[in-house]
Amino acid sequence: NAGVMQNPRHLVRRRGQEARLRCSPMKGHSHVYWYRQLPEEGLKFMVYLQKENIIDESGMPKERFSAEFPKEGPSILRIQQVVRGDSAAYFCASSPATGANYGYTFGSGTRLTVV
Amino acid sequence: TQLLEQSPQFLSIQEGENLTVYCNSSSVFSSLQWYRQEPGEGPVLLVTVVTGGEVKKLKRLTFQFGDARKDSSLHITAAQPGDTGLYLCAGETSGSRLTFGEGTQLTVNP
């Protein structure tokens, strides 16, 4: 069984470009979460999605950031017009359902560097 | 805003010693999870505690959830170099959103 797959593992973008981060959840998992880990900081919640629906985006910056989880294909975290402060590790997690009895499985992350 | 404070932030000990990592908050969580993260990788779930006062053991690791479900501890007995890593606690609230602590970087020296 493949775990949560994130790609690319490393992404370098120039200021002003767009960054697209992909996340394929574990098989059978319909709940996807995105977290950001800034250098020297802990993981911060960004967004929670189910298939075709955004459930909670309270952690997403108001501008330039968007996320989707289409009916078919991976979840996408999109950052438009990247700035140096967007440089961070972005982690995706998935679960089969909500509730404490269902563990979260994290991917290996995408390390975004904005130059 | 819910905050989880982890202590200590850094811990360097000798092989065979015992240690405890603490995770404290003023908020009540529906569950508390502990993760371990290796450099360049995502967090890996170690355990989930749900009930106030709950104690779970995983080999040499003992996890405890406070009675009021606001705090938790991780105790490692006879630490080994393979235990070296970043340990993270995370509290879950309704809505399946995790609030992470800043982490404890543990180094176990041979």
Side-chain angles (χ1 to χ4, degrees):
Chain A
N1 286 329
V4 176
M5 304 301 292
Q6 287 189 251
N7 66 82
R9 288 294 302 270
H10 300 274
L11 183 61
V12 179
R13 284 288 177 265
R14 296 188 183 277
R15 280 177 296 170
Q17 291 185 319
E18 178 180 288
R20 278 181 180 245
L21 288 61
R22 295 174 187 78
C23 169
S24 295
M26 282 189 70
K27 187 176 181 180
H29 287 195
S30 58
H31 300 249
V32 166
Y33 315 82
W34 286 92
Y35 287 81
R36 177 166 65 175
Q37 190 171 38
L38 292 166
E40 308 304 323
E41 292 188 20
L43 287 116
K44 298 285 192 269
F45 168 82
M46 298 183 75
V47 63
Y48 162 35
L49 311 102
Q50 293 181 29
K51 282 288 187 181
E52 299 184 275
N53 288 304
I54 296 174
I55 307 302
D56 180 357
E57 58 180 347
S58 57
M60 288 274 273
K62 299 294 182 211
E63 297 177 350
R64 302 187 297 109
F65 285 72
S66 62
E68 63 177 8
F69 189 16
K71 187 176 180 180
E72 300 291 338
S75 175
I76 305 288
L77 179 66
R78 181 183 177 202
I79 311 173
Q80 295 178 291
Q81 300 171 5
V82 296
V83 300
R84 288 227 170 104
D86 296 332
S87 295
Y90 292 82
F91 291 97
C92 169
S94 73
S95 67
T98 60
N101 292 325
Y102 301 95
Y104 297 88
T105 303
F106 280 81
S108 296
T110 293
R111 278 139 193 89
L112 172 65
T113 303
V114 180
V115 297
Chain B
T1 303
Q2 296 168 316
L3 293 174
L4 267 176
E5 295 184 357
Q6 249 183 276
S7 62
Q9 192 174 358
F10 298 96
L11 189 55
S12 181
I13 61 172
Q14 294 299 121
E15 183 175 0
E17 293 183 352
N18 301 330
L19 67 111
T20 303
V21 176
Y22 299 93
C23 184
N24 296 292
S25 176
S26 58
S27 301
V28 176
F29 294 101
S30 57
S31 71
L32 200 295
Q33 303 177 11
W34 284 91
Y35 291 83
R36 178 175 159 178
Q37 186 177 18
E38 301 296 336
E41 296 297 329
V44 176
L45 180 65
L46 296 175
V47 78
T48 301
V49 285
V50 179
T51 307
E54 182 176 4
V55 176
K56 281 191 175 179
K57 292 194 174 185
L58 188 66
K59 296 183 179 178
R60 293 177 293 102
L61 278 61
T62 301
F63 305 85
Q64 186 163 8
F65 202 9
D67 290 341
R69 291 187 290 135
K70 293 181 179 181
D71 55 88
S72 182
S73 64
L74 157 61
H75 182 79
I76 301 179
T77 304
Q80 299 176 2
D83 295 327
T84 293
L86 179 67
Y87 290 82
L88 298 162
C89 64
E92 183 175 19
T93 58
S94 59
S96 301
R97 171 182 179 152
L98 289 178
T99 299
F100 279 87
E102 298 288 326
T104 295
Q105 181 61 54
L106 171 65
T107 303
V108 182
N109 303 299

